[in-house]
Amino acid sequence: MEGPSVYDDLLDPACLMAFPGMGVMRATDILASLREAPRWTSVVMSNRALARPRRDVLVLGYTAEGHRDGSEPYRCHCTSTYVEDGGHWKLVQHQQTMAA
């Protein structure tokens, strides 16, 4: 599965995300904005880190550089937190900070 529809199953209904210039968003607003956003033509992730504070919690940290046609590259530092729910991993938090 690819595109915004993958988030229908991935996002926990209580998910919060924080984006530069957009602020904090809730799951319903995140899903709506993904359907309207232009697609990335490529994304490269580096500086990956993984923390597992509990058996059912994963925290990913990484630097991402995304490219869209006709736009400058978007480079940010990210964290994403997942919680296991009935054998499925659900995204409960995602945060981006602009990178220099």
Side-chain angles (χ1 to χ4, degrees):
M1 189 177 343
E2 191 176 309
S5 61
V6 74
Y7 289 94
D8 291 335
D9 293 326
L10 182 65
L11 250 62
D12 186 273
C15 184
L16 294 176
M17 293 188 180
F19 298 99
M22 297 175 69
V24 176
M25 299 176 70
R26 296 185 179 278
T28 53
D29 297 324
I30 296 161
L31 292 170
S33 71
L34 286 170
R35 287 175 178 71
E36 302 297 320
R39 299 288 307 269
W40 296 105
T41 54
S42 69
V43 176
V44 175
M45 295 182 187
S46 60
N47 303 318
R48 297 176 187 188
L50 170 69
R52 195 161 189 174
R54 295 188 344 210
R55 180 186 51 80
D56 61 343
V57 176
L58 291 173
V59 182
L60 305 177
Y62 52 95
T63 299
E65 184 171 306
H67 299 266
R68 288 186 172 125
D69 291 336
S71 296
E72 292 292 318
Y74 179 82
R75 191 163 188 268
C76 61
H77 304 292
C78 304
T79 59
S80 299
T81 305
Y82 293 83
V83 174
E84 187 177 20
D85 180 26
H88 301 284
W89 290 97
K90 296 289 190 171
L91 181 62
V92 294
Q93 176 276 334
H94 176 78
Q95 175 272 329
Q96 295 181 5
T97 301
M98 295 302 294

